[in-house]
Structure formats: C-alpha cells, structure tokens
Amino acid sequence: MDVNFKKKIDSLIAEVSAITDLMTKVAVLNYIQQESGYLLWQLEDEQRIDEDSRDY
C-alpha cells in the first residue's frame, strides 16, 4: 500500500477515535463502512469486467 494512503487512513482513524460523543462516533463509523462497502462493490465489478474481457 502506498505510504501516503496509509498515513491518511491512520490519520482518519485517529480523528474518529478522538470523537467523544458515542452517537456521532457510531454514525461516522457506519458511514465509513457504507462507503467502503460501495468501493469494494465497485472494485469487484471492475474485476469481473476485466476477467470477462480476457475470456474473449
């Protein structure tokens, strides 16, 4: 993984960890999970398209 991406992710995790309001922290983490799930779905779709194009 690119070091700059790791630093950004670690910084975001530290920022979320510092949230003291539990409801806000839960909302932020749920949103991150939702968005990362969408990114994973996109990646899997791109992989399927790439694999399908190799089959021809």
Side-chain angles (χ1 to χ4, degrees), residues 5-56:
F5 283 126
K6 186 178 181 327
K7 287 179 182 178
K8 289 177 184 179
I9 293 168
D10 290 345
S11 175
L12 178 60
I13 289 171
E15 191 171 340
V16 171
S17 295
I19 297 172
T20 56
D21 180 66
L22 182 59
M23 296 304 292
T24 301
K25 187 181 282 190
V26 168
V28 169
L29 290 172
N30 282 335
Y31 181 73
I32 290 171
Q33 185 177 27
Q34 172 187 337
E35 292 301 303
S36 64
Y38 177 71
L39 288 174
L40 182 59
W41 173 80
Q42 281 184 316
L43 175 63
E44 290 169 347
D45 196 42
E46 289 173 15
Q47 287 175 325
R48 276 191 294 275
I49 291 169
D50 185 56
E51 290 169 3
D52 288 348
S53 69
R54 290 186 207 173
D55 290 341
Y56 293 107

